[in-house]
Amino acid sequence: MAKFTKTDHCINCLDCNKNLPLLQLLSPSELEELNASRFEVKFKAGETIFKQGTSATHLLILTSGLAKFYVEGVQEKQLIIKIIKPWEIVGQASLYFDNRHHYSVAALVDCTACFIEIESFKKMIRQNSDFAEEFIKKCTQKGIYSFEKMVSLSQKQMHGRIADGLLYLSDRIYESDSFLLHLSRQDIADLTGMSKDSAIRILKEFHHEGIIELDGRKLNIINSEQLERISETG
Amino acid sequence: MAKFTKTDHCINCLDCNKNLPLLQLLSPSELEELNASRFEVKFKAGETIFKQGTSATHLLILTSGLAKFYVEGVQEKQLIIKIIKPWEIVGQASLYFDNRHHYSVAALVDCTACFIEIESFKKMIRQNSDFAEEFIKKCTQKGIYSFEKMVSLSQKQMHGRIADGLLYLSDRIYESDSFLLHLSRQDIADLTGMSKDSAIRILKEFHHEGIIELDGRKLNIINSEQLERISETG
DNA sequence: GTTATTTGTTGATAAATATCGATCTGAATT
DNA sequence: AATTCAGATCGATATTTATCAACAAATAAC
């Protein structure tokens, strides 16, 4: 009988605090408890991890891979709020509201997902105030990011929005000026709130102007200062 | 020498928990401590209460009046994130980030504002886990509202956005189908992410179609079901 | 390797929205 | 009552953006 390995990316939550600073605030026994409630599932690229509207019983932490976090808006359109990468806690919006997912999460590449039971997480919040405070910190920071995103979506025109999207990907997700894009053109459009055709056009324009180099999904940001300028002027 | 009255809307924080359920979770001594750190200021309509970019040392709770919570976007444009009414805690986004206001708040009518020192509030979060949990609840709920707003701003056209704005005002702010609007036409535009001229046009259209009655700032929503429909179809 | 099927690309056109200028209103001031 | 001034209004026009149709390229299925 094959040994049941919870994962090949992290042995257990006690080990995991290397990657997740928040967990360093928990005591060994608390970590043990969290570890007991968790389990891992592998997802293939394209598969849905959370589906908007279904009941939320667990928080999600990717231990490998990349996913999109999006809301299903009007007329089948998706709005990608953010890209999820490993070690970010996903699902706090559902912690206390109505136990429903108000967004969907889908794998952009093959992912390993660690699920943590909401109730044990809530228990940690209640019994460990350092943990609670650090968690509040994360929640409030996400609020500020939301404001920036709203400004981008509602006040900038397409060039500014694409610039914002590219800077977001390079600064916060890939942390490099040169990377292999895991998002389709449609995903880029959904991230920046425009049609796929328009997104393609602006990307091509940036390419022709020498601001970026884009060959299929190989993206190289050549002039990030100019992207910043375009982002600021809208 | 005139007696210094902290306010005529609430005597002190011990009294205030009638209006602010969150404070009911604090012990008398904790309320006393919070009360000691607070002070009140009156603002006239149009005055700025928080200015984006300045340092954040206090949280804000209106005890009377109405204010707009907005971010200053590109080219002097404002994006109104929400309307603030009494007893809502304003400013948590600045609690832990960089002690800067990332948004402005301005009085729409004469307001009485109660300021609570951020450090004492943080102390309550640390020492009272019920308080912390309830506060997290509020933070996460605001996240869900953000998602809805982003969908509205980025995926709906003007009719849908105006419908969303009107429903927001009637359902969540005025809690009535008929009210005196404290927002200018420009404010309506800033709330729904469009130009003032366009906002006026759509409002007139709704008026002519008998969905609303709008005379100056006297607004009466006649057919809210239809507004819902318009909101849903974008 | 060939055939489907998706994803990406482009130009032409249509629709949505902003901008501008002119005018109008009502409240505040003289 | 006349004057000023800010907000509101509206038509004409310009700009931005989406849509559509056609096709190319890449990928998956057979």
Side-chain angles (χ1 to χ4, degrees), chain A residues 157-158 194 197-198 201:
Chain A
Q157 357 197 116
M158 296 194 300
M194 65 187 73
D197 304 343
S198 293
R201 247 179 276 271

Side-chain angles (χ1 to χ4, degrees), chain B:
Chain B
M1 182 179 158
K3 188 182 168 215
F4 176 68
T5 50
K6 280 200 156 183
T7 173
D8 42 19
H9 291 282
C10 67
I11 309 307
N12 56 42
C13 292
L14 286 76
D15 200 50
C16 208
N17 60 26
K18 286 199 302 288
N19 301 306
L20 241 173
L22 183 64
L23 293 192
Q24 288 171 16
L25 301 170
L26 293 179
S27 71
S29 72
E30 286 171 331
L31 278 170
E32 196 65 71
E33 191 177 342
L34 211 59
N35 191 51
S37 86
R38 85 186 181 86
F39 61 91
E40 280 208 353
V41 179
K42 286 175 182 299
F43 291 90
K44 288 210 186 309
E47 287 186 322
T48 298
I49 302 176
F50 281 165
K51 170 70 181 176
Q52 186 170 331
T54 63
S55 82
T57 58
H58 291 77
L59 294 175
L60 160 73
I61 298 171
L62 291 191
T63 55
S64 79
L66 215 59
K68 60 177 174 179
F69 179 109
Y70 64 97
V71 290
E72 305 180 10
V74 292
Q75 293 163 330
E76 314 282 281
K77 269 186 286 195
Q78 299 181 358
L79 174 66
I80 297 182
I81 308 282
K82 57 181 169 180
I83 303 299
I84 305 296
K85 59 178 189 174
W87 316 117
E88 178 183 344
I89 298 174
V90 181
Q92 65 256 51
S94 312
L95 268 185
Y96 292 101
F97 191 55
D98 57 0
N99 283 95
R100 287 289 149 95
H101 290 300
H102 290 262
Y103 40 79
S104 295
V105 177
L108 288 171
V109 293
D110 292 0
C111 285
T112 317
C114 173
F115 289 97
I116 294 177
E117 213 178 40
I118 280 185
E119 285 312 318
S120 4
F121 194 87
K122 278 191 191 173
K123 192 177 166 199
M124 302 303 147
I125 288 175
R126 260 178 255 122
Q127 69 187 206
N128 185 324
S129 63
D130 288 344
F131 184 78
E133 190 176 21
E134 192 63 24
F135 184 69
I136 289 175
K137 210 162 162 176
K138 286 182 180 298
C139 289
T140 53
Q141 283 173 10
K142 284 175 187 177
I144 292 175
Y145 167 69
S146 290
F147 300 158
E148 290 170 14
K149 177 110 186 162
M150 285 189 215
V151 167
S152 178
L153 288 174
S154 68
Q155 299 193 335
K156 295 183 186 181
Q157 6 197 110
M158 296 196 298
H159 292 81
R161 301 210 297 279
I162 289 282
D164 283 341
L166 294 176
L167 289 170
Y168 168 73
L169 290 171
S170 90
D171 291 349
R172 306 213 215 176
I173 304 304
Y174 292 102
E175 302 182 61
S176 162
D177 278 350
S178 181
F179 48 87
L180 186 71
L181 206 49
H182 297 97
L183 291 79
S184 69
R185 299 296 194 263
Q186 182 66 60
D187 287 333
I188 302 275
D190 293 342
L191 179 67
T192 53
M194 65 186 73
S195 72
K196 183 186 58 170
D197 302 26
S198 292
I200 289 171
R201 250 179 274 271
I202 310 291
L203 286 171
K204 270 276 133 66
E205 222 174 291
F206 283 1
H207 179 98
H208 288 139
E209 289 167 2
I211 302 170
I212 63 172
E213 229 166 51
L214 181 58
D215 174 28
R217 291 198 174 186
K218 266 172 49 194
L219 177 63
N220 185 12
I221 295 177
I222 296 167
N223 192 340
S224 62
E225 289 77 17
Q226 193 165 354
L227 276 186
E228 299 276 7
R229 263 196 306 279
I230 294 171
S231 160
E232 273 159 33
T233 58

